[in-house]
Amino acid sequence: RQDSIEVDELSHPLHVKCRRLLADTEGAGTYRGAPSIEVEFGPSEDNSFRVLYVADGTINPAAGTRGGLPGGPIQIFKRSGNGDITPQAAYGDVELLPGETIISISSGGGGYGPPTAREVGSVKQDLDEGWITRERAETVYGLTLDAAGVVDMAATDARRRKIQAVASGSSDQR
């Protein structure tokens, strides 16, 4: 269970190094899933502690449906005191010494419906908010921007038709 970082740090002998959303981990879709969250934490000051965890979704991430794509998988890593990062098992009991951290990446939610049917304004907003990268906006959602970053609707419609044709196996890619 996670509370606000401040409450967690006041209530437990830990330091939260970061908590952030990860771009391109949403299940793309007409209605996209939520992005993954990365949290990195470890013991505060000269403390050590054990982290016991289970992480269902490391092998099978949240599935998309009706043409939606899966969300990002759960991932767990341990960062050693010298900065080396080691992948961890889907469940574990890890002793953290001072200077060591656990990096926990939650599952992204699965998408519903084909990404190319997502409202263009919603894709642009997701891009502007940093939930998706420009590459994902273009290759998965079919969004096309001009040099000034404004949506080019004609080019977007054409790109979306190409993506849909490839997805359906059609050779007509006009």
Side-chain angles (χ1 to χ4, degrees):
R1 175 171 114 37
Q2 293 179 3
D3 211 324
S4 72
I5 292 171
E6 294 82 2
V7 170
D8 286 342
E9 290 180 340
L10 285 171
S11 302
H12 307 285
L14 64 82
H15 171 68
V16 179
K17 188 171 180 178
C18 83
R19 186 181 296 169
R20 65 187 179 110
L21 298 175
L22 295 179
D24 298 344
T25 57
E26 89 302 352
T30 307
Y31 301 97
R32 60 144 174 78
S36 297
I37 297 174
E38 176 186 5
V39 178
E40 183 172 358
F41 64 94
S44 61
E45 301 169 9
D46 294 329
N47 298 307
S48 64
F49 63 73
R50 289 174 60 190
V51 177
L52 297 131
Y53 67 88
V54 294
D56 186 22
T58 57
I59 297 170
N60 298 306
T65 189
R66 297 190 177 254
L69 302 181
I74 290 175
Q75 300 176 70
I76 303 96
F77 303 94
K78 180 180 177 182
R79 185 186 309 268
S80 69
N82 68 7
D84 291 342
I85 296 176
T86 308
Q88 300 296 296
Y91 57 91
D93 178 352
V94 178
E95 179 78 20
L96 293 179
L97 301 175
E100 296 180 329
T101 60
I102 284 289
I103 302 168
S104 172
I105 299 174
S106 72
S107 175
Y112 180 89
T116 53
R118 185 160 174 77
E119 184 180 284
V120 171
S122 295
V123 176
K124 178 69 163 82
Q125 182 176 354
D126 289 348
L127 175 61
D128 292 344
E129 292 290 325
W131 290 38
I132 59 174
T133 61
R134 185 169 180 154
E135 179 182 357
R136 188 160 177 92
E138 293 171 350
T139 61
V140 175
Y141 291 97
L143 189 71
T144 302
L145 303 174
D146 65 17
V150 176
V151 175
D152 180 332
M153 284 305 297
T156 294
D157 290 342
R159 178 177 272 162
R160 284 180 163 197
R161 283 193 300 275
K162 284 184 181 182
I163 292 170
Q164 291 163 354
V166 169
S168 69
S170 170
S171 61
D172 178 19
Q173 295 186 16
R174 282 183 259 153

